[in-house]
Each structure stands twice: as structure tokens, then as C-alpha cells.
Amino acid sequence: MFIHIFGFCWKPAATEADKTRAASEILAFRNTIPGLVDVTVGLNLSERDQGYTFGGCMQFTSRNAFSAYVPHPAHTALLEWLVPLIDAVEIDLES
């Protein structure tokens, strides 16, 4: 299993509609990305969030499945509009 964890610190230009769209598009990967076992997104409830107010976890069957996800058209389409609106942190690990 390969786990991809991410957190977003939204920039001031991000609207509530952008945040909702991001969650919706990430959750839609469930039916689109080969090798994606599960995906969860939501508000960061930690009192030590350091500004990262939204995050998620994606579980892939393998590191190779994750590597294939990175250039997948659905992922790159998301990044095209999302990256200008966030500062992100990512953690990847195998279990």
C-alpha cells in the first residue's frame, strides 16, 4: 500500500466555491484513477494546523500506481486551476 497525504493552506484569492470544487474533484478520483483504493478529504481539525485548513489521504495499491496518478489527465486538470490558490504540503509513505 502506498499512502499520499496532503494539506492545503488556502491563499486569499480562494473562494468557498474553489474549496468545494477541490474537494469534489479529488473525491471523483475514486472512479477515475487506476490503483486508487480510497480517498478522503476534509477540514483539518487540528489545533496545530499551521494554516493548513484542508487535507486528505489517498491510498494506492502500490508506489507505481501513485506514480501513474501524478501525470493522469484528471490530476493535471485539477492542479492547473488549484495550484495558484494553495500552499501545499505532501507526505508520501509505504505501508
Side-chain angles (χ1 to χ4, degrees), residues 3 11-12 16-18 23 37-38 46-49 57-58 60 66-67 73 78 83-85 88-89 93-94:
I3 301 170
K11 293 182 180 177
E16 289 303 315
D18 293 326
V37 176
D38 194 25
S46 173
E47 293 177 5
R48 299 174 307 276
D49 65 25
C57 180
M58 303 173 86
F60 292 86
F66 172 74
S67 294
L78 170 74
V83 167
L85 299 175
V89 62
L93 46 107
E94 288 182 297

Side-chain angles (χ1 to χ4, degrees), residues 4 21 25-26 29 32-34 58 60 66-84 86 90:
H4 174 60
R21 179 181 175 191
E25 289 188 22
I26 294 167
F29 290 162
T32 306
I33 306 295
M58 303 173 86
F60 292 86
F66 172 74
S67 294
Y69 154 75
V70 173
H72 190 281
H75 182 232
T76 58
L78 170 74
L79 294 179
E80 187 174 305
W81 69 266
L82 181 62
V83 167
I86 60 171
E90 298 182 17

Side-chain angles (χ1 to χ4, degrees), residues 31-63:
N31 303 316
T32 306
I33 306 295
L36 179 61
V37 176
D38 194 25
V39 59
T40 303
V41 297
L43 297 177
N44 182 0
L45 303 177
S46 173
E47 293 177 5
R48 299 174 307 276
D49 65 25
Q50 298 179 7
Y52 293 92
T53 58
F54 177 87
C57 180
M58 303 173 86
Q59 296 178 333
F60 292 86
T61 54
S62 67
R63 188 176 196 156

